[in-house]
Structure formats: structure tokens, C-alpha cells
Amino acid sequence: RQTSDTDTPAIAPGALQAVPAIRADNRLERLEAITDLVFNSDLLTATVGGAFLHEVGESDGSIDFGFPVPADFRMKRDTVSGFAEATLAPFPGLLLNGALRHDKVRNGPGEWTGRAGLSFSPGAGLPVLFARIGEGFKLPSFYALGSPLIGNPDLLPERSRNLEAGFDWTPATAATLRLSWFDNRFRDLVDFDPVLFTSVNRERVRAHGVEASFGLRPAKTLSLGGSLTRLLLDSETPLRQRPGWQGHLRGAWQTTDDLGFNATLRFNSDFFDSSIPTGLLRQPGHAALDLGLGWRLDPRFRLDVVARNVTDSSYQQAVGFPAPGPLLRATLSATLF
């Protein structure tokens, strides 16, 4: 059960139309039950099962148009699912995987989705090659459907087709490397349209690119790692909060069994964003450095200190919301038993 109380002030008109003040008390309840039966052998692992999901969303509130207008809604949704999955190992080094799932919403749509993949290891010390293809099916959230301010009851479920191929390589016990290419295509992608100020379906969207990550342990007490993602978007309408480049570099040094230090550099390129005063614009990219310390004071007490954005990088996580400057947080935890 999740609850939230919101009281949002009005937004004056700018590049886009004004937004009235809104107050809402929201509640979301979910009950999910899953059962499955698993078969294992040297050659085959298979699973078959089912699931039931019961969801209830409620909101009590009002919109201020100079006088309060009730803006309440209540929605309920039951979804019954069945699934089966199998992994076959016909000979050493080769794994084949396949899955099938059916989701049926009571008094709503039903959808079949599937997934298939393979991985192949040519031999010890060589890269493990993999390829996967899958389908996705996602229902719009209650908020996207029923919110009195941005909700759209005519939203369609989101569907996707996902491809991925690449390799995982462990050339040494202290080194790992992963490189993958992905191509994800969405139909009826659920998105927020800042001009219409409502949730909409984007008919066709393609997100494709490459991801790379690595890990190194040059010494027993030292570890290094990082990741880099290149994302390309094909969409008739610019999508917000999706930088073309993003990644991180991380290092950790365990000086003793009780004391360790770490540093993380986070970075991303520019991305589209929108606000009522400005309309659609590009937010510049940024990089920020975080430092951390973990110290076990004794067997019962541990001190963790994190310094965020120590370089005082100036950027906005969303239009009009600057990220805080250097921020220090310390946590003392105790094990009582």
C-alpha cells in the first residue's frame, strides 16, 4: 500500500498554457500471488506457472479554477497471467532459452508475449556470445489513465520488441568486459506531452545503441569499474530526459578490513526537457564526482560518509530545479543483536 498527499500550486503561463493548482490524496494497493512448478535435469530446466495481480487506485482531490472543482477517481484492475519457460543445454557451452506468457486483464485486453535467446561459450578464457529477442506488454498506470490533470482514459497498452546481442568476457580472474548492441521498438509508448499537458501514446518509437561496461581488480584491495551507453532515438516527437551519452567511472580502495574509500564520476550529455515557462529546450550535459568512506568502528557500529557533487558541478536535473552543490551525508548504523 502506497499513499501520498500532494498540494501543487498553480503555474503561471509562459511558453505553454498555465496550469491550475491541484490538491490530491492518493492511495494505491497491490496484491500479487505467483505460483510455479519447476523441472530440472542435466539437459533441460523448465518452469510453468501462473500469477494473479489485484490493483486498486484512488484519489480524492480538487482543482482550483478560482473555485474548487472535485477531481476524484477510483480505478480497479485484475490481471491473470500464465507463463512457461525452458532452458536447454544440448551440449557444453551452448544454452538455448525460450519463454511464453499470456496476460489477461479482466474486462480488458489479453496479450501474448514471448522471448528467446542463446548463449555460446567457445572455451575457457574466450568471450561468451549471446543474442536475445523478446516482446513486452505494459498497461498504462492508474495515474496516466485517471489523473484529473494529465490523465487520458483512452490510453492504449504499450507494446515493445527488444533485440540484444553482444558478449561477456572474463579474460582473467580480475577482469570483466561486456559489450552489447540493442534495438528496442515501441508501439503506443506511453509518454507525457508537455504541449497538450496530458498523457499520450507515441505511435512508433525506436531506441537503439550500444552499452559497454568493465571491471578490474589490479590488486586485492583495489577495484575499478565503469559503464558507457550510447542511445539513439527515432521519434517524431522529442522524448524528454533521455541523454544520448551517459555512464560512470568508479574506483574503490579497501585499505583495511574495517576502512574503505570509493569515488564515482557520473556523466551524461545534453537532453530534451520541458517546462511551462520555457517550453521544450535542451538541458546541457554535466559530470559530477562523488566520494565515499565506509568505516567499521567496531563489530557493532559502522560509519558511512558520502560527499555528493564535490566538484560543485552546476546543472539542472529538470528545468528550473538546480541540483544541489556539494552535499555531505553521514550515517551511523548499529547491529544490536
Side-chain angles (χ1 to χ4, degrees):
R1 175 181 294 174
Q2 298 176 348
T3 62
S4 65
D5 300 330
T6 61
D7 193 348
T8 307
I11 304 175
L16 303 177
Q17 295 182 356
V19 177
I22 184 169
R23 180 196 61 79
D25 299 334
N26 305 307
R27 294 174 298 282
L28 175 64
E29 295 182 0
R30 282 196 182 100
L31 174 66
E32 186 172 23
I34 303 173
T35 182
D36 60 59
L37 181 65
V38 180
F39 169 80
N40 280 309
S41 73
D42 293 337
L43 182 65
L44 177 68
T45 299
T47 304
V48 62
F52 172 75
L53 176 62
H54 175 71
E55 301 171 283
V56 178
E58 298 178 283
S59 181
D60 301 318
S62 62
I63 301 178
D64 187 358
F65 289 106
F67 53 90
V69 176
D72 305 339
F73 74 88
R74 186 178 192 276
M75 305 181 73
K76 182 173 70 172
R77 186 164 63 198
D78 293 335
T79 307
V80 179
S81 306
F83 55 87
E85 182 174 1
T87 300
L88 180 66
F91 55 82
L94 179 64
L95 287 178
L96 305 175
N97 176 266
L100 190 64
R101 182 183 179 96
H102 185 263
D103 296 287
K104 177 66 173 72
V105 181
R106 184 174 296 175
N107 300 322
E111 187 75 12
W112 287 96
T113 52
R115 187 180 73 244
L118 64 86
S119 65
F120 177 63
S121 176
L126 297 176
V128 177
L129 310 176
F130 64 84
R132 306 184 185 101
I133 182 171
E135 297 173 313
F137 171 73
K138 182 181 178 182
L139 295 168
S141 68
F142 288 153
Y143 185 73
L145 289 168
S147 166
L149 195 59
I150 71 163
N152 179 358
D154 297 323
L155 287 176
L156 299 173
E158 182 179 298
R159 293 171 172 83
S160 62
R161 189 274 290 146
N162 311 301
L163 290 173
E164 184 183 19
F167 68 84
D168 288 305
W169 190 21
T170 306
T173 56
T176 60
L177 177 64
R178 177 184 176 88
L179 180 65
S180 65
W181 162 87
F182 62 89
D183 187 345
N184 303 326
R185 304 194 181 206
F186 300 88
R187 183 158 48 95
D188 297 322
L189 177 76
V190 177
D191 188 32
F192 174 71
D193 190 311
V195 178
L196 300 177
F197 211 81
T198 189
S199 299
V200 298
N201 286 117
R202 304 295 187 193
E203 185 178 2
R204 303 283 179 181
V205 173
R206 182 188 179 200
H208 56 108
V210 293
E211 293 179 320
S213 62
F214 77 95
L216 292 174
R217 188 175 287 276
K220 184 178 179 181
T221 60
L222 183 64
S223 63
L224 305 171
S227 66
L228 181 65
T229 300
R230 173 55 168 160
L231 175 64
L232 300 170
L233 289 171
D234 299 333
S235 173
E236 292 184 0
T237 304
L239 300 181
R240 300 171 303 114
Q241 297 282 342
R242 292 170 171 88
W245 292 94
Q246 61 179 321
H248 81 283
L249 293 171
R250 186 177 189 275
W253 179 32
Q254 193 69 33
T255 58
T256 68
D257 291 341
D258 297 324
L259 180 64
F261 301 89
N262 62 76
T264 302
L265 178 66
R266 301 171 285 113
F267 53 89
N268 63 260
S269 62
D270 59 347
F271 56 88
F272 284 108
D273 205 355
S274 178
S275 72
I276 296 297
T278 64
L280 187 69
L281 50 74
R282 278 189 178 272
Q283 289 278 67
H286 76 278
L289 178 65
D290 304 331
L291 301 177
L293 173 150
W295 185 14
R296 185 169 294 281
L297 305 175
D298 65 29
R300 292 182 302 164
F301 293 94
R302 177 182 174 85
L303 176 66
D304 290 287
V305 180
V306 176
R308 299 273 292 181
N309 193 16
V310 295
T311 52
D312 196 15
S313 178
S314 177
Y315 63 96
Q316 295 188 10
Q317 296 169 319
V319 180
F321 291 87
L327 180 67
L328 186 67
R329 184 180 73 241
T331 304
L332 180 65
S333 55
T335 303
L336 301 180
F337 302 101

